Amino acid sequence: MIRTKLKKHQLLAVKFCVSIYRKLGIFYTGFFSDFGTGKSLMFLAVCEVLKFKKVLLVSSKTSIETTWPREIQKHSDYNWMMLLSKTNGVKDRLRNLQLGLRRCGSVSYGYGDVTVFLINFEGLRNEVMAKALINAKFDVMCIDESTKIKDPNAERTKWAWAIGSKIHHKDILTGFPSTEGIHELYSQIKYMDGGKALGNSYWGFQNKLFVKYGTRLFPHKTAVKWIIKWIIL
């Protein structure tokens, strides 16, 4: 249960997510808002309203170890399980995953009936771990600091795409989804919808909408309007 009373802008965001879910039967949403506006609370609130019980949340190691446990405890009665490793690598992560999944099905475990599984980006970059996450059948997958997957050629991005393709509902959180250009939205949107909006090929997307000078990409005159049309309902 969410304990914190949502502010007006947070309620509006949550209601928008719920309306999209009811209209399309699916949850593809990005919370693009500045630091301090309550992105974590908004996502946690959506989980309650849409009855997501098993939640996979990906972020940086620092956020997984400190920020997210603090936010979960502050705003809700949700359980959380860290899928981190200090010694035995993937074995530790797998053991924690199985422990968390067993607790999800145990009425006597704890206070809330939602469990948030916290994993850093490096934790995705393993085939065994990726298969285990897919087999866990999470209700929703959220990537915090989603600009970490802005590069379509990065290993972490490809693993996020692969795992996300097997999880029906997805979300991204970031204050600045585009730090160097609007082309950086491509990988983040593809993670959510599998390429339905902006196409399955990054190079096709790039060649259609941008001109390259040196290492920089410059959008065509109609590029921004076209991208916004396809990613905003």
Side-chain angles (χ1 to χ4, degrees), residues 154-219:
E155 188 177 1
R156 71 176 67 172
T157 302
K158 293 176 180 179
W159 280 116
W161 286 350
I163 297 168
S165 69
K166 304 298 182 181
I167 299 175
H168 195 52
H169 304 294
K170 290 177 283 289
D171 188 29
I172 55 178
L173 310 176
T174 182
F176 302 96
S178 175
T179 58
E180 296 179 11
I182 198 169
H183 60 280
E184 294 176 341
L185 288 173
Y186 175 84
S187 295
Q188 299 171 71
I189 300 302
K190 183 178 178 179
Y191 149 75
M192 290 196 289
D193 73 356
K196 292 178 182 178
L198 302 182
N200 200 46
S201 167
Y202 174 71
W203 305 114
F205 166 79
Q206 176 182 302
N207 292 334
K208 178 179 179 178
L209 298 172
F210 298 86
V211 175
K212 189 171 185 179
Y213 290 101
T215 59
R216 298 187 64 187
L217 291 176
F218 296 89

Side-chain angles (χ1 to χ4, degrees), residues 52-229:
F52 295 145
K53 305 297 186 183
K54 288 192 296 184
V55 179
L56 178 62
L57 195 143
V58 186
S59 190
S60 65
K61 187 172 185 292
T62 300
S63 291
I64 291 302
E65 289 182 324
T66 59
T67 305
W68 273 102
R70 183 176 64 244
E71 290 294 295
I72 293 170
Q73 188 172 24
K74 175 182 177 182
H75 297 304
S76 74
D77 65 352
Y78 297 175
N79 310 305
W80 73 87
M81 175 62 71
M82 289 190 192
L83 305 182
L84 295 177
S85 173
K86 294 182 179 180
T87 55
N88 294 323
V90 70
K91 291 183 179 179
D92 286 344
R93 297 180 192 272
L94 289 171
R95 182 172 60 250
N96 290 344
L97 174 62
Q98 293 306 316
L99 176 61
L101 292 174
R102 287 197 298 272
R103 289 176 173 177
C104 282
S106 174
V107 177
S108 62
Y109 166 49
Y111 310 98
D113 58 354
V114 177
T115 301
V116 183
F117 292 78
L118 303 169
I119 189 168
N120 61 331
F121 288 99
E122 287 66 29
L124 303 180
R125 296 164 53 185
N126 179 281
E127 186 174 355
V128 174
M129 192 67 207
K131 288 181 178 179
L133 292 173
I134 291 170
N135 291 335
K137 299 185 184 304
F138 287 101
D139 296 318
V140 63
M141 177 178 176
C142 175
I143 293 185
D144 182 29
E145 303 179 29
S146 62
T147 49
K148 297 282 188 181
I149 62 166
K150 67 182 182 180
D151 182 356
N153 295 312
E155 188 177 1
R156 71 176 67 172
T157 302
K158 293 176 180 179
W159 280 116
W161 286 350
I163 297 168
S165 69
K166 304 298 182 181
I167 299 175
H168 195 52
H169 304 294
K170 290 177 283 289
D171 188 29
I172 55 178
L173 310 176
T174 182
F176 302 96
S178 175
T179 58
E180 296 179 11
I182 198 169
H183 60 280
E184 294 176 341
L185 288 173
Y186 175 84
S187 295
Q188 299 171 71
I189 300 302
K190 183 178 178 179
Y191 149 75
M192 290 196 289
D193 73 356
K196 292 178 182 178
L198 302 182
N200 200 46
S201 167
Y202 174 71
W203 305 114
F205 166 79
Q206 176 182 302
N207 292 334
K208 178 179 179 178
L209 298 172
F210 298 86
V211 175
K212 189 171 185 179
Y213 290 101
T215 59
R216 298 187 64 187
L217 291 176
F218 296 89
H220 292 309
K221 185 177 181 179
T222 59
V224 174
K225 184 177 180 180
W226 187 91
I227 291 171
I228 290 175
K229 173 187 174 181

